[in-house]
Amino acid sequence: MILEMKVPSPGESIKEVEIATWLVKDGDYVEKDQAIAEVDSDKATLELPAEASGIITLKAEEGDAVAVGAIVCLIDTSAAKPAGNSSVPAAEVKVEAPKTEVNTTPVATITYATNTPSPAAKKILDEKNIQSLDVLGSGRDGRITKEDAINAVPSMGTPTAGGRSSQRTKLSMLRRKVAERLVAAKNETAMLTTFNEVDMSAIYALREQYKEEFKTKHGLGLGFMSFFTKAVTRALQLYPDVNSMIDGQEKISYDFCDISVAVSGPKGLMVPVVRAAENLTFKGVEAEIKRLAIRARDGQITVDEMTGGTFTISNGGVFGSMLSTPIINPPQSGILGMHNVVERAIVKNGQIVIAPVMFVALSYDHRIIDGRESVGFLVAVKEALENPVEILMDNNPKKALEL
């Protein structure tokens, strides 16, 4: 029996996928539920499992765009499974020793005079700061003459030296969709960015004091993301316009905070969503972000896990970024950009001190968020991060960290 395998629908509104990689070859025997291909949609990369066991015949090439419901391969379910891998001895190849060729080209005689400048030539070369070894002498036995020195120019290398190749590859469907969304965000929103700086001393002290106990008890690292997520959800509740979006001529506001977290996956940027982040503890945030990051890294993230966010946090600091203007993730109206932490001189209580400082940026859609809300939101984030024990932990760090 020949089974026709068709492209399943990876999600609502997705009408086609792209064959990113075949994990099997034409004519291979595959087992039921074995991953046979990776397919890209405009939202995620998914594995395509075999629907039955048998010999597979591929009907699409890597890079082909295939409509949902179209046939991508055939599986002969009546074919018997091969009895192991019988290795065939490689044919013996007789290798002959390469013949030694005798070079019959006359070789110029090298003497003490070769590349030796005459006194006049040496003076000229010294004035030009040119080494005599860089000049080919035209005099007897290769001596460098005055004319050779006058005509010599400093070596600057060859413009065409080294490899000069180029390669043209097709963008994946996911990358093309990301590009479209980024351009749309720039063209269709009134995007502005406001900046601030955060003294991370209090968070550093908390992590230094509790990170080992937190990891021992929960098996999780106590990172920056839990502090930032908690600070963001608090600020969104204080400034609900930042947690809203435009739909035509209407504004949709949310009483929950589904935080999209931008992560770098093997296929490019992915933005999984931490649902109802306002209800999660520090432990809950760290556990959920770790789970989603692993799924994104392993290519197992689903479309449902990347849709429906109300606000985005992007951490360019992990790559060393000092400052950036993050682009809004539509249809959301705001995105917070985190950056690297650098020791800087700041003023505290009238004194100049050294402190770990992070620049933060809020890009927002000015059509729906005014300057007061945008600046107030970012100041609220800054206040929570600089006073985490009081504002985020209710003056009880051990209870907040569930220790």
Side-chain angles (χ1 to χ4, degrees), residues 21-82:
T21 307
W22 280 111
L23 304 177
V24 295
K25 298 189 293 294
D26 195 50
D28 280 356
Y29 185 89
V30 298
E31 299 282 358
K32 183 180 180 181
D33 296 327
Q34 174 186 344
I36 60 174
E38 290 181 351
V39 295
D40 285 341
S41 72
D42 59 8
K43 295 181 179 178
T45 297
L46 306 170
E47 286 187 346
L48 186 65
E51 295 177 4
S53 300
I55 299 294
I56 192 168
T57 302
L58 309 184
K59 291 295 183 181
E61 301 288 337
E62 290 185 358
D64 285 355
V66 184
V68 171
I71 298 172
V72 287
C73 66
L74 305 176
I75 299 179
D76 183 359
T77 59
S78 61
K81 182 177 180 180

Side-chain angles (χ1 to χ4, degrees), residues 124-269:
I124 295 172
L125 293 177
D126 290 342
E127 292 173 353
K128 291 184 174 183
N129 196 26
I130 298 176
Q131 298 293 324
S132 60
L133 293 176
D134 296 333
V135 181
L136 183 63
S138 62
R140 184 174 180 181
D141 294 333
R143 183 181 290 274
I144 300 172
T145 65
K146 179 180 179 180
E147 287 73 20
D148 295 331
I150 293 173
N151 295 329
V153 294
S155 174
M156 296 184 180
T158 306
T160 57
R164 289 173 58 82
S165 62
S166 62
Q167 184 179 9
R168 184 184 296 267
T169 56
K170 185 178 180 180
L171 293 175
S172 69
M173 184 175 290
L174 177 61
R175 175 54 63 183
R176 295 199 301 271
K177 188 62 177 181
V178 168
E180 291 173 7
R181 288 169 61 85
L182 293 177
V183 172
K186 292 285 287 184
N187 293 339
E188 298 172 9
T189 65
M191 194 178 81
L192 290 179
T193 305
T194 183
F195 304 93
N196 216 315
E197 64 178 13
V198 177
D199 178 1
M200 301 288 286
S201 299
I203 291 178
Y204 267 51
L206 280 169
R207 294 180 68 241
E208 182 65 27
Q209 183 175 357
Y210 295 110
K211 65 180 181 181
E212 293 300 330
E213 189 177 354
F214 189 84
K215 185 173 183 179
T216 299
K217 182 165 184 179
H218 304 306
L220 299 165
L222 181 59
F224 291 153
M225 283 304 300
S226 54
F227 289 94
F228 272 83
T229 301
K230 299 290 287 182
V232 162
T233 57
R234 171 182 175 271
L236 289 174
Q237 292 169 334
L238 293 174
Y239 297 91
D241 279 352
V242 185
N243 201 40
S244 304
M245 57 187 67
I246 290 180
D247 183 14
Q249 296 184 358
E250 298 177 334
K251 178 176 79 170
I252 304 174
S253 299
Y254 301 95
D255 62 358
F256 56 87
C257 303
D258 284 355
I259 305 299
S260 303
V261 180
V263 298
S264 180
K267 297 290 184 178
L269 181 68

